[in-house]
Amino acid sequence: MSPQIMLTAPGALDEDTRAFVLMGFLAFVVPILFICVLSGPGRDRINEFYTAGRRLSSLRGALVLAGVYLSAATVLGTTGSVAVFGYDGLFIALCTMLSLGVLLLLALPLRERAGCTLGDTFALRAPGPAARVAVAVVTLSVCVPYLVVQLSGAGVTTAALLGLSGPGAEQSAIVMIGVMVVCATVFGGMHGTIVIQVIKTVVLLGAVLAVTAVLLHRFHWSTDSLIEAAGQGSGRPVDYLRPGLRFAAGAAPESTLDFIGLMVTIVLGVACLPHVALQIGTAPDAATARRTVRNAIGIVGALCLGTALMGFAAAALVGAPAIVAADPGGATALLMLTGELAGGSSTHAGGALLVVLVSSAVFLTSLAVVASVTLAAAGAIAHDVYTHVLRRGRMTEGREVAAARWASVGVGVLSIGLAVSVQGWNVLFLSVLSLAVAASCLLPALVYSLFWSGYTRAGLLWTLYGGLGCAVGLQISGPVFSGTPLALFPDWRLDWFPLQTVVLVSLPAAFLLGWLGSVAGRRRAPTVTQGRGLSAEGSRQDAGSGGRFPAAAGDLPIARQSYSPEGR
């Protein structure tokens, strides 16, 4: 993302207006960060730190889930995709909605088997340390690239908001944001993450509503006039509302497959991101979890409709060529549109407030999503690897919470370091890679674990490691990594795989490997019964009802932990 965006570029907003925008932004964001930190759990309880006590109502949970779904890359990227690619951008917005439909199908069984992490969920079917290590490896493979992309984009946006440019300013902004996120996660846990997600969703709804009202007023509340002007502003009025602009550079068969693959990646990948799946566990029961997802569909739908209208307005008022010149992916479209609607260099007080609202919404969106992803990654390290694999469950709750906090620091430092190192690179493909890994590994594993009684530990390991290797290997061998002008390494020639999206190959491969591994595992050893040694009532006890999570077969040392009953 180029820092020379319209709302902060010289000549767009005058110096006094930029100072007012910065003061309003800080006055709005800083108190929210303090609220997030102060809302942390009062006691060092595993249940409180990871799941906020499983007490979220369906409405509040829907606000949180909508906030988790709508990352800064989604909001800015969808707006830019509609502005630059028209019809194809609308399909990207639609896929975000369809992804919630996938999560709705998984919500009830996922909540019934919810633990502190995905490792707990899979341990009920595939006990033992090997499965937890595999889940942790996949979780980190999804979360760390996702964090790098989010921090990189947030750093550029924040530097632009401050009126700064250059790699040094952007890297400093990344460090500043990363430190804020680490503090919010370490001290707030899931409680702090929930607070910031709720505030972020409300602010984002307000910002989208305000911008939509202003732009519709500009076009006399006529969507037909808006869409017609968008087609003219795109520079390709004939093709703007036809499919194919997103991958127009490739041959026809490859372009079609890339477009289909991108849609499948978004629909299936977003629903299975670790921090999204773990959010289901904050509901008190399975019925509430389903209501939460249904309510979130309405909120996300309203926001996606708003981003589509803002994308049309950006094409109409700013122009697709200007947006592409600032950023080929169109991620600057929303901020450029806000600067245009605010009046540019002749911005009045109302326009400055609009800029403050949108800038705060974008910043909070980045902060909230990074906090959620960091917590999911820290849980995989502290709960799955350290507590259950290295310590074999012999940990007090206080020590595990301390380990989770240190893991949050470690994940944050690693992500900040990587984001600073690759600043200025074209790392947007990492976001697609994260979604592809989630769709290729976690989706098949969840479907098999939740719905197929014949799934074995070997099948789970084959699914996770096979899907991960296939997705990453094909992505590295594709044109987004090397061999093309927009690739990460344009001078390298590793691009033997012709498609930009890999999920059409990696997802069926992971399903096949899971089936083959389960069949081979049953031939070598007797099938492990799910939840062996657990009563039906015991398998559904959770912290929300005052019980503790049951020990899966093979994880029996956890039964000797010194956890108090109300803590788990």
Side-chain angles (χ1 to χ4, degrees):
M1 184 187 299
S2 171
Q4 301 303 319
I5 56 180
M6 183 165 288
L7 76 93
T8 53
L13 300 178
D14 58 57
E15 186 175 349
D16 292 338
T17 302
R18 289 205 303 271
F20 174 78
V21 168
L22 178 59
M23 292 177 60
F25 172 79
L26 294 176
F28 186 82
V29 170
V30 171
I32 293 176
L33 291 174
F34 275 109
I35 293 173
C36 175
V37 171
L38 295 176
S39 62
R43 299 180 300 171
D44 285 344
R45 299 294 190 189
I46 299 300
N47 175 51
E48 295 291 333
F49 188 83
Y50 287 121
T51 65
R54 304 188 191 276
R55 293 185 293 267
L56 256 64
S57 64
S58 59
L59 178 57
R60 191 181 180 197
L63 290 173
V64 175
L65 185 59
V68 169
Y69 247 77
L70 295 169
S71 66
T74 300
V75 175
L76 298 177
T78 302
T79 303
S81 295
V82 174
V84 176
F85 305 117
Y87 181 93
D88 291 354
L90 291 176
F91 257 83
I92 293 176
L94 177 62
C95 286
T96 304
M97 290 286 300
L98 295 177
S99 179
L100 274 168
V102 174
L103 188 61
L104 182 62
L105 296 176
L106 299 175
L108 193 149
L110 188 58
R111 175 58 188 88
E112 288 178 339
R113 297 161 178 82
C116 295
T117 64
L118 286 175
D120 285 338
T121 300
F122 290 119
L124 293 174
R125 174 59 60 84
R132 288 188 180 272
V133 171
V135 175
V137 169
V138 171
T139 298
L140 293 176
S141 299
V142 173
C143 291
V144 172
Y146 203 75
L147 285 172
V148 171
V149 175
Q150 295 292 329
L151 285 172
S152 179
V156 177
T157 304
T158 304
L161 174 66
L162 300 176
L164 305 174
S165 62
E170 295 167 4
Q171 292 170 346
S172 300
I174 289 173
V175 174
M176 177 188 71
I177 295 170
V179 170
M180 290 180 181
V181 170
V182 169
C183 291
T185 306
V186 168
F187 296 105
M190 181 60 80
H191 280 282
T193 301
I194 286 172
V195 169
I196 197 171
Q197 290 287 6
V198 170
I199 296 175
K200 164 262 185 91
T201 302
V202 173
V203 173
L204 185 59
L205 279 169
V208 170
L209 180 62
V211 173
T212 302
V214 173
L215 69 88
L216 287 177
H217 178 72
R218 179 77 67 92
F219 287 92
H220 308 289
W221 301 92
S222 172
T223 54
D224 290 339
S225 299
L226 172 62
I227 295 174
E228 182 180 355
Q232 297 297 323
S234 69
R236 296 170 287 190
V238 176
D239 299 326
Y240 186 66
L241 292 180
R242 294 180 179 177
L245 287 181
R246 177 64 175 80
F247 294 101
E254 295 176 359
S255 298
T256 302
L257 290 175
D258 272 326
F259 183 69
I260 295 173
L262 178 62
M263 301 302 103
V264 173
T265 301
I266 296 173
V267 171
L268 302 181
V270 175
C272 296
L273 287 172
H275 64 290
V276 173
L278 291 179
Q279 196 60 50
I280 298 297
T282 59
D285 51 59
T288 304
R290 285 183 63 87
R291 288 196 300 271
T292 295
V293 179
R294 284 199 297 266
N295 292 336
I297 290 175
I299 298 173
V300 173
L303 288 170
C304 287
L305 177 61
T307 57
L309 292 175
M310 292 188 299
F312 286 134
L317 299 177
V318 179
I323 295 171
V324 173
D327 175 33
T332 60
L334 176 57
L335 299 180
M336 296 176 76
L337 171 65
T338 304
E340 175 65 25
L341 294 175
S345 58
S346 59
T347 300
H348 50 81
L353 289 175
L354 182 66
V355 174
V356 170
L357 182 60
V358 172
S359 303
S360 300
V362 172
F363 183 83
L364 286 175
T365 298
S366 301
L367 200 67
V369 172
V370 171
S372 295
V373 178
T374 301
L375 184 62
I381 296 173
H383 185 73
D384 291 325
V385 176
Y386 183 69
T387 298
H388 283 273
V389 176
L390 298 180
R391 301 288 299 179
R392 297 185 178 275
R394 300 182 180 92
M395 289 276 289
T396 63
E397 289 192 82
R399 292 181 63 184
E400 182 173 338
V401 171
R405 287 175 170 152
W406 280 110
S408 299
V409 174
V411 171
V413 170
L414 174 63
S415 302
I416 293 170
L418 291 175
V420 169
S421 300
V422 302
Q423 189 60 25
W425 295 19
N426 183 17
V427 297
L428 292 179
F429 89 97
L430 291 176
S431 180
V432 179
L433 175 62
S434 295
L435 296 180
V437 172
S440 302
C441 301
L442 297 179
L443 176 69
L446 283 172
V447 170
Y448 278 146
S449 295
L450 299 178
F451 301 109
W452 183 28
S453 61
Y455 199 42
T456 66
R457 183 187 320 187
L460 175 65
L461 297 178
W462 285 31
T463 301
L464 295 177
Y465 286 127
L468 176 63
C470 188
V472 174
L474 292 178
Q475 196 76 68
I476 292 176
S477 304
V480 297
F481 187 78
S482 66
T484 61
L486 296 179
L488 180 63
F489 299 105
D491 296 330
W492 294 11
R493 299 299 304 182
L494 304 175
D495 53 326
W496 60 266
F497 185 70
L499 301 180
Q500 297 182 34
T501 55
V502 303
V503 74
L504 293 181
V505 177
S506 59
L507 178 60
F511 270 109
L512 178 60
L513 288 171
W515 178 79
L516 290 175
S518 297
V519 171
R522 285 199 301 270
R523 289 176 179 174
R524 287 197 303 266
T527 302
V528 177
T529 303
Q530 179 183 356
R532 185 178 61 197
L534 300 175
S535 65
E537 295 80 14
S539 66
R540 286 171 173 78
Q541 282 186 330
D542 58 28
S545 60
R548 71 173 175 82
F549 294 117
D555 285 333
L556 295 180
I558 195 174
R560 298 192 292 271
Q561 298 178 61
S562 56
Y563 291 172
S564 62
E566 76 250 33
R568 290 277 274 172

